């Protein structure tokens, strides 16, 4: 298996623009997680899905952030409009029902100018 | 979870020595703990885990110790190698939930 796949790996955009981050979880995994990592706040859980349904989105910073999982093999995290303080590395992770370990993707480094 | 300051704590060890990385967790109800390793430019990678009914678990060159009384977790790396240089995170979880709370992270530097 290729592991969790994220795209793009790097994104540079200007304030006010819409940003869409993409994730393909490991096949067969029932849970998908979106995290944000910054030097100031470390690794924070934004939202997670179970069987494509959002379960807990309490970590989503504000209404500018939204996440979807239209099917078991694809999820998006959208920021609209983006702001410089959204600059961070965004990770997607997935896990199977019978597992405890979360498998992380390589991350998307977002820079908002 | 815990907030992270501008600078991660750093542990520098000589190649071949043993490393001990510590973590204080926050939730008394947490009963599952994981150590992750994160190399530069990569996502966190699972190293070892432990449940709260244990106080020690060993893997290949790594040992995790759990002290529930003081809510403390440690990761011991034997015969530290240059490839061990990375940031190490502990994460805590409560059974029945799927949220991990990550610790602040410690940067391990292995000196040749």
């Amino acid at each position: 298996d290729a592991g969790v796949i994220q795209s793009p790996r790097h994104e540079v955009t200007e304030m006010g623009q819409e940003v869409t981050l993409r994730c393909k979880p490991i096949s067969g995994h029932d849970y998908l997680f979106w995290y944000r990592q910054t030097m100031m706040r470390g690794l924070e859980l934004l939202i997670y899905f179970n069987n494509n349904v959002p379960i807990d989105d309490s970590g989503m910073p504000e209404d500018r952030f939204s996440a979807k999982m239209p099917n078991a093999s694809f999820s998006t995290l959208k920021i609209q409009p983006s702001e410089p303080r959204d600059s961070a590395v965004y990770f997607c992770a997935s896990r199977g029902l019978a597992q405890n370990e979360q498998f992380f993707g390589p991350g998307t480094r977002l820079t908002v100018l | 979870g815990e907030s992270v300051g501008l600078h991660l704590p750093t542990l520098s060890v000589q190649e071949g020595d043993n490393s001990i990385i510590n973590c204080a967790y926050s939730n008394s109800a947490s009963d599952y703990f994981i150590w992750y390793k994160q190399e530069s430019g990569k996502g966190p990678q699972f190293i070892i885990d432990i449940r709260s009914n244990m106080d020690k678990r060993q893997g290949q060159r790594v040992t995790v110790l759990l002290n529930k009384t003081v809510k403390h977790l440690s990761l011991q790396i034997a015969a530290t190698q240059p490839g061990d240089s990375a940031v190490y995170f502990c994460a805590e979880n409560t059974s029945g939930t799927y949220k991990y709370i990550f610790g602040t992270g410690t940067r391990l530097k292995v000196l040749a």
Side-chain angles (χ1 to χ4, degrees):
Chain A
D1 198 314
V4 176
I5 299 172
Q6 291 187 248
S7 65
R9 292 296 311 276
H10 302 273
E11 176 80 33
V12 180
T13 190
E14 292 189 345
M15 182 173 62
Q17 296 298 306
E18 177 179 296
V19 174
T20 299
L21 311 181
R22 296 173 176 80
C23 175
K24 182 182 187 321
I26 293 173
S27 178
H29 280 188
D30 301 309
Y31 291 87
L32 184 141
F33 305 81
W34 281 101
Y35 289 88
R36 177 172 67 176
Q37 186 176 45
T38 62
M39 282 299 295
M40 286 300 296
R41 300 178 67 84
L43 201 58
E44 301 174 283
L45 177 66
L46 300 176
I47 185 172
Y48 79 91
F49 295 82
N50 176 216
N51 291 325
N52 315 336
V53 176
I55 302 300
D56 187 339
D57 64 354
S58 60
M60 296 286 263
E62 47 196 276
D63 292 345
R64 297 185 298 107
F65 286 68
S66 62
K68 293 183 180 179
M69 192 164 184
N71 58 63
S73 60
F74 184 66
S75 177
T76 59
L77 178 67
K78 185 176 293 186
I79 308 172
Q80 166 64 20
S82 58
E83 297 182 2
R85 60 192 168 115
D86 302 330
S87 297
V89 180
Y90 291 81
F91 288 103
C92 176
S94 71
R95 59 162 279 185
L97 179 62
Q99 298 169 315
N100 292 307
E101 178 185 354
Q102 293 183 17
F103 295 82
F104 282 78
T108 295
R109 181 173 294 278
L110 173 65
T111 303
V112 183
L113 303 174
Chain B
E2 301 173 70
S3 61
V4 182
L6 287 173
H7 300 285
L8 286 174
T10 299
L11 174 66
S12 296
V13 298
Q14 208 67 37
E15 181 179 355
D17 287 351
N18 296 335
S19 304
I20 300 177
I21 300 171
N22 297 304
C23 175
Y25 63 92
S26 57
N27 187 354
S28 300
S30 294
D31 55 7
Y32 178 66
F33 306 88
I34 302 180
W35 279 99
Y36 277 89
K37 172 186 180 183
Q38 186 176 20
E39 296 175 277
S40 181
K42 297 183 179 180
Q45 182 182 16
F46 173 90
I47 302 174
I48 191 169
D49 60 358
I50 188 169
R51 293 205 169 276
S52 60
N53 60 352
M54 303 171 69
D55 52 22
K56 179 179 180 179
R57 189 161 189 233
Q58 289 184 290
Q60 188 176 16
R61 279 203 310 119
V62 294
T63 301
V64 55
L65 299 177
L66 174 63
N67 185 331
K68 296 181 286 295
T69 303
V70 294
K71 294 192 288 186
H72 183 267
L73 201 63
S74 69
L75 177 70
Q76 301 178 0
I77 304 173
T80 312
Q81 302 169 358
D84 296 327
S85 293
V87 176
Y88 290 82
F89 294 94
C90 66
E92 58 183 299
N93 170 254
T94 304
S95 294
T97 73
Y98 297 93
K99 296 175 67 168
Y100 289 176
I101 307 298
F102 281 83
T104 57
T106 297
R107 186 180 304 280
L108 176 65
K109 287 186 176 179
V110 181
L111 309 172

